[in-house]
Amino acid sequence: MEIIALLLFLFFSFTQPVLCADICSPAYCNSIHGPGIRFPFRLIGRHPERCGYPGFDLSCNNQNQTILNLPRSGEYVVDYIDYTQQVILINDPDHCVPKKILNFSLSGSPFEGTYTKKYTFFNCSSVWTEYTSYDVEPLLCLSGENYTVLAMSSYSLPQQIPVSCHEISHVSIPALRYVSQYWSSMEAREDFQLTWDEPGCTSCEVNGGICGFKGNTVLELGCSRPPNRGLPRSAKYGIIIGIGIPGLLCLIGLACYAFGRIRAFSHRSRLSTTELPTITISQQPVVRAIGLDGPTIASYPKTVLGESRRLPKPNDGTCPICLSDYEPKETLRSIPDCNHYFHANCIDEWLKLNGTCPVCRNSPESSMATPCSSMSSSYSLSSSDHH
């Protein structure tokens, strides 16, 4: 939460000065085809007055064209601005420059022509095809169905002017980018080239600076470096401190944790490798029950039950292996020492797999009964049943 609060403080602290510094940044009527507008020009409605020099106001029309309004010649479309050479190229929005040229004047504006050329306009009462021999083309935007308007350079007029043509005007206009002897319909769509002397920002622009006013009260010019895009340097330092240091601490913590885990794992691995022989030696051997051989099992005493089914232990009436009650005439076998009785078939199969008593788990291997004692026991149990 402290980091978030610091970032919010830095954002709101440094955003406003950046916006104030960018109010005179370049603006566009058409960012794709239109020129960038900055000092000495300003775009009305987007730049405050202090962003432009007096007389250099531009505007946008409903077609997103950049418009320059000359006080005595009307509106022109701005096609290009060269801030280093201090040159601006303008054209007629209606693509009929000759119509405006008849009343063209730069008076009252800070601009002047790079150089000028004089033209003479003629109004001819017949159609234009009659004048092809004069190597001229008509100004179609000024011509009508019954007359043709021609414009010729005043410096190279033909010696004989057609009788049907009479002079209507002499004009002096800024030279076009492409100058020819006659003003053709193609040339009528070319730009006019204007220039300005004041304010003089050429040296500043050539050195990569941005020209503008030094203060808010006087028209004194200054040259500054282009503003840095994004946050100012102090804001960047604040963000680096606010985010970089906690991030660095987190990385250090993760590195320490990983190093500790690796070290602990390595220690356990070495410990296991060192103690493995000791652990193996100290383990107790696994004791497995091994069955008895046939002669040993056959040596265990047998008993044939009489009608009373009585055994030396009154509670031994059921075989612990098959859980069936003993019946008369069944043959039982007992295990020496513990004297537990079982069906002979049941205990024989058991002892082949396990050498211990199924009831008390004692091993009878060391207690070997003799055949005589077995016969004696069998006889005694049978005799007692007859009495």
Side-chain angles (χ1 to χ4, degrees):
M1 292 299 296
E2 294 180 356
I3 296 176
I4 296 176
L6 177 61
L7 293 177
L8 292 175
F9 171 76
L10 293 173
F11 176 80
F12 288 108
S13 298
F14 295 106
T15 300
Q16 187 63 30
V18 173
L19 295 177
C20 293
D22 286 347
I23 59 176
C24 292
S25 60
Y28 299 86
C29 292
N30 188 326
S31 59
I32 299 177
H33 303 292
I37 303 169
R38 55 183 174 84
F39 190 88
F41 296 93
R42 80 176 184 97
L43 187 59
I44 298 175
R46 301 190 192 180
H47 288 147
E49 293 185 1
R50 293 294 300 178
C51 290
Y53 204 81
F56 286 78
D57 292 343
L58 301 177
S59 61
C60 302
N61 64 8
N62 55 7
Q63 298 177 359
N64 291 328
Q65 293 174 313
T66 306
I67 301 300
L68 171 65
N69 192 348
L70 297 176
R72 298 189 180 183
S73 300
E75 294 183 347
Y76 288 83
V77 175
V78 178
D79 288 333
Y80 177 75
I81 301 176
D82 187 334
Y83 292 93
T84 303
Q85 300 296 326
Q86 299 195 166
V87 170
I88 180 173
L89 301 182
I90 62 174
N91 205 333
D92 178 40
D94 298 326
H95 304 291
C96 188
V97 174
K99 184 177 181 179
K100 288 194 172 185
I101 288 303
L102 292 173
N103 299 310
F104 185 80
S105 175
L106 294 176
S107 178
S109 75
F111 304 102
E112 60 184 17
T114 305
Y115 60 91
T116 59
K117 190 169 184 177
K118 294 181 179 181
Y119 287 89
T120 302
F121 283 70
F122 294 92
N123 188 337
C124 303
S125 58
S126 55
V127 295
W128 66 272
T129 54
E130 298 183 6
Y131 310 106
T132 56
S133 60
Y134 292 91
D135 196 21
V136 295
E137 293 184 23
L139 302 177
L140 298 180
C141 63
L142 295 179
S143 301
E145 293 182 359
N146 300 319
Y147 65 93
T148 303
V149 177
L150 304 176
M152 302 181 186
S153 173
S154 299
Y155 302 106
S156 57
L157 289 175
Q159 294 182 355
Q160 293 182 353
I161 302 299
V163 178
S164 61
C165 298
H166 65 276
E167 183 180 311
I168 58 176
S169 178
H170 290 279
V171 295
S172 179
I173 61 174
L176 302 174
R177 285 188 297 173
Y178 305 103
V179 180
S180 63
Q181 180 180 359
Y182 304 104
W183 193 352
S184 67
S185 59
M186 179 64 71
E187 290 169 333
R189 292 193 294 268
E190 298 295 344
D191 292 328
F192 288 163
Q193 179 173 299
L194 306 180
T195 186
W196 69 90
D197 292 331
E198 293 292 335
C201 295
T202 299
S203 60
C204 178
E205 295 286 342
V206 169
N207 293 323
I210 294 180
C211 195
F213 292 126
K214 284 186 176 181
N216 295 325
T217 57
V218 296
L219 299 182
E220 184 180 0
L221 297 179
C223 185
S224 61
R225 292 182 176 274
N228 293 327
R229 297 299 177 189
L231 295 175
R233 182 177 300 177
S234 55
K236 294 179 180 178
Y237 287 158
I239 293 176
I240 292 174
I241 294 174
I243 297 179
I245 294 180
L248 181 61
L249 293 177
C250 290
L251 290 176
I252 294 175
L254 290 175
C256 292
Y257 174 77
F259 178 76
R261 296 286 295 177
I262 294 173
R263 185 176 180 181
F265 178 78
S266 177
H267 177 71
R268 286 197 299 269
S269 299
R270 291 195 302 268
L271 183 62
S272 300
T273 304
T274 304
E275 295 180 352
L276 183 59
T278 305
I279 295 174
T280 302
I281 294 173
S282 62
Q283 288 181 346
Q284 296 294 331
V286 178
V287 178
R288 294 185 179 181
I290 302 175
L292 303 179
D293 55 12
T296 302
I297 297 173
S299 66
Y300 290 174
K302 275 187 177 183
T303 301
V304 178
L305 285 178
E307 294 295 336
S308 64
R309 297 181 298 174
R310 288 184 299 177
L311 293 173
K313 293 183 179 180
N315 295 330
D316 291 346
T318 302
C319 177
I321 297 176
C322 67
L323 302 178
S324 298
D325 292 338
Y326 298 129
E327 298 295 334
K329 306 300 181 181
E330 286 186 332
T331 302
L332 309 183
R333 191 187 297 278
S334 63
I335 296 178
D337 290 344
C338 63
N339 201 29
H340 288 134
Y341 286 85
F342 309 90
H343 283 125
N345 294 334
C346 292
I347 192 62
D348 289 352
E349 295 296 327
W350 172 272
L351 293 177
K352 290 178 181 178
L353 301 175
N354 301 279
T356 59
C357 174
V359 177
C360 62
R361 298 295 179 180
N362 289 326
S363 177
E365 293 184 50
S366 60
S367 301
M368 301 292 292
T370 61
C372 294
S373 62
S374 175
M375 293 177 61
S376 174
S377 174
S378 176
Y379 174 77
S380 62
L381 287 174
S382 299
S383 299
S384 62
D385 289 338
H386 291 288
H387 291 287

